[in-house]
Each structure stands twice: as C-alpha cells, then as structure tokens.
Amino acid sequence: MARDRSSTRRRAGVLAAALTALTLTGALTAAHAPVATKSELRRTQPKGHDVSSHQRRVDWHTARAKGARFAYVKATEATSYRNPYFTGQYDGARRAGLIRGAYHFALPNRSSGAAQAAYFVRHGGDWQADGVTLPPALDIEYNPYDKHHKCYGLSRSRMVRWIRSFSDEVRRETGRRPVIYTTTNWWTACTGNSRAFAADHALWIASHGSSGPGRLPGGWRYWTFWQHGTKGKLPGDQDLFGGSTTRLRAFARGR
C-alpha cells in the first residue's frame, strides 16, 4: 500500500492438508505457504483487496462477482488525513457482502503511536465482533515522503515502542490488537527484525511477484493476509487470506 494523497500513492493434496493446520488467527504456516503456487492459493483461499482514495468509487458488487470476499479500506494517515471516500467504500463493501476492515497508514515521525491510533479509531478504525468487520490494521512501511529517511528518523528501539504504543491504544479502544501490514525488508531494517509482536498480532505480509510470501519477519511463523500484487482483477491491491472462508469469518469475530 502507499500514500494516499492526490499527488501520488504441493500441489492440491498438500495444500488441502496445510489448510487444516491453521492457527486460531486463520493463518497458513510459513513452512507450507511457499510450497503451493500462487495460482493454487488463489483457487482455494478467499480473495480480497485493499483500496484507498486512489480507487475512489469502487463497484463492490462487480468485485464480489469476480471473487472478492474481503477488503481493507484506508481510513486515515497520521493525525491529519482522512480518506474522503472511506464511508462510501467501507459501507459499499459491506452492502455487497464482503467482510471488510479499515487500515491506518503510519507516519511515526509526525506524532505518537497512541495519538495516531486514537485518530484512526475515531475515523473508521473501530471494531465489533459481528463477523463482518475485520480487526483494525496498521500499515507500516517505507516512508513514501522522504526516501532518505525510510525509517522516519526513528531508531529501531523507538520504532518498536511506537508500534507498541499504537497497538496498545487500538486494543484499549476496540478490544483487539491490530493486524500489522509490512514487508520483511522494512521490518528488518527499521525494527531490527523485532519479535515483540509475533505472538499476539496477525501478520499481513506484502510480497509481490513471487510464488509465495517468502521469509516472514520478526518471529512470525504464520501469515494471515498476503498482499501478492498491486494489480489484478479486483480494484486496488490484491490479497489472499491464509485459510478458509469459515476461518475468515471466525477471525473477524475474534475467535
């Protein structure tokens, strides 16, 4: 995913067996994830996508007809930006029968994790155990506004503290830990490949153009969502869930 301003942004048998080994987060084990090809994963696991203001008015019914079963919608960035299309996109996804959730684009150099989390929850990042709302998600990745400060000028320890602050506030306000969206390279560079979040945060791994999500960061043994491309049949970025549709609904309910 990216900034959202107007100027930018082994086979079938083994796979079936792997899907029975899902954790309570609904994620596929890292040991099995790379074994199946991307096309096999696409045939057997729920497809989804994530959108922002770049996609504007999404035809959600068409997206569902093309296979979408879930979506994440960008809600906020830092503490000063709200996606002007958020309400239409978020509500539209639900009306079309998709399980949907909201995500926040982190700018850790602008304000504290707690402040950004509170802003996010107030403007769309809330959660309820209704089976159709995905937990809030934190999009934390390379700084799109300053290529010379990819880690936003924060040391690795400060970055870990910032993420923890964000997570703690989201949990305090919603009752759930956020899903963490990131790349292995960024996580390694900017958190020192911290293992502090793997035990209680679902992973949304971004890895494009590959047959599997590859090496996972920071102690995570499982991925819950995999963003495997920026273009495809669905509007926005292309995602997969690491389990069955039933598991997806359970994950949404917090089970």
Side-chain angles (χ1 to χ4, degrees):
M1 290 179 278
R3 58 183 165 183
D4 186 57
R5 310 295 190 178
S6 59
S7 62
T8 44
R9 220 218 64 94
R10 138 191 263 217
R11 311 291 65 98
V14 173
L15 179 60
L19 292 175
T20 65
L22 300 176
T23 68
L24 290 179
T25 62
L28 190 65
T29 66
H32 287 109
V35 173
T37 66
K38 188 188 294 186
S39 61
E40 286 170 335
L41 288 171
R42 285 175 172 169
R43 286 196 300 269
T44 59
Q45 295 175 261
K47 301 177 183 66
H49 53 134
D50 55 270
V51 300
S52 68
S53 67
H54 289 298
Q55 285 70 46
R56 300 191 178 190
R57 294 173 180 85
V58 177
D59 186 339
W60 292 103
H61 289 281
T62 297
R64 195 179 193 290
K66 291 183 177 181
R69 294 298 178 263
F70 68 90
Y72 264 107
V73 180
K74 180 173 182 177
T76 52
E77 182 174 306
T79 56
S80 59
Y81 174 79
R82 297 167 60 186
N83 173 8
Y85 299 94
F86 174 78
T87 299
Q89 292 175 338
Y90 191 76
D91 293 347
R94 179 62 203 126
R95 286 194 296 269
L98 275 68
I99 299 173
R100 81 286 188 257
Y103 77 87
H104 172 81
F105 191 92
L107 293 178
N109 58 332
R110 302 282 181 89
S111 52
S112 70
Q116 292 195 27
Y119 183 80
F120 172 44
V121 172
R122 286 197 306 271
H123 300 295
D126 204 355
W127 173 80
Q128 52 187 327
D130 55 10
V132 296
T133 305
L134 292 168
L138 171 65
D139 176 356
I140 190 154
E141 55 179 285
Y142 287 108
N143 185 349
Y145 299 110
D146 187 347
K147 65 181 180 180
H148 300 296
H149 295 90
K150 295 179 179 179
C151 302
Y152 302 89
L154 274 66
S155 68
R156 292 172 170 178
S157 59
R158 285 183 62 199
M159 183 65 75
V160 169
R161 288 196 298 271
W162 192 98
I163 297 169
R164 177 58 66 184
S165 175
F166 183 97
S167 175
D168 285 349
E169 182 64 18
V170 167
R171 185 183 185 187
R172 188 185 72 80
E173 297 206 29
T174 73
R176 288 200 75 171
R177 292 288 186 186
V179 173
I180 295 179
Y181 167 98
T182 194
T183 69
T184 298
N185 287 342
W186 185 90
W187 194 263
T188 300
C190 298
T191 75
N193 208 29
S194 172
R195 303 169 69 91
F197 302 93
D200 55 358
H201 292 72
L203 174 66
W204 184 359
I205 186 69
S207 180
H208 305 157
S210 57
S211 61
R215 181 173 61 89
L216 302 181
W220 273 288
R221 296 175 56 210
Y222 317 105
W223 56 271
T224 300
F225 298 100
W226 171 28
Q227 186 190 86
H228 57 83
T230 58
K231 295 181 179 179
K233 293 182 178 180
L234 304 176
D237 299 320
Q238 313 297 294
D239 300 288
L240 288 173
F241 176 72
S244 66
T245 300
T246 299
R247 189 68 226 135
L248 176 62
R249 294 193 189 99
F251 178 68
R253 289 193 301 270
R255 299 179 181 176

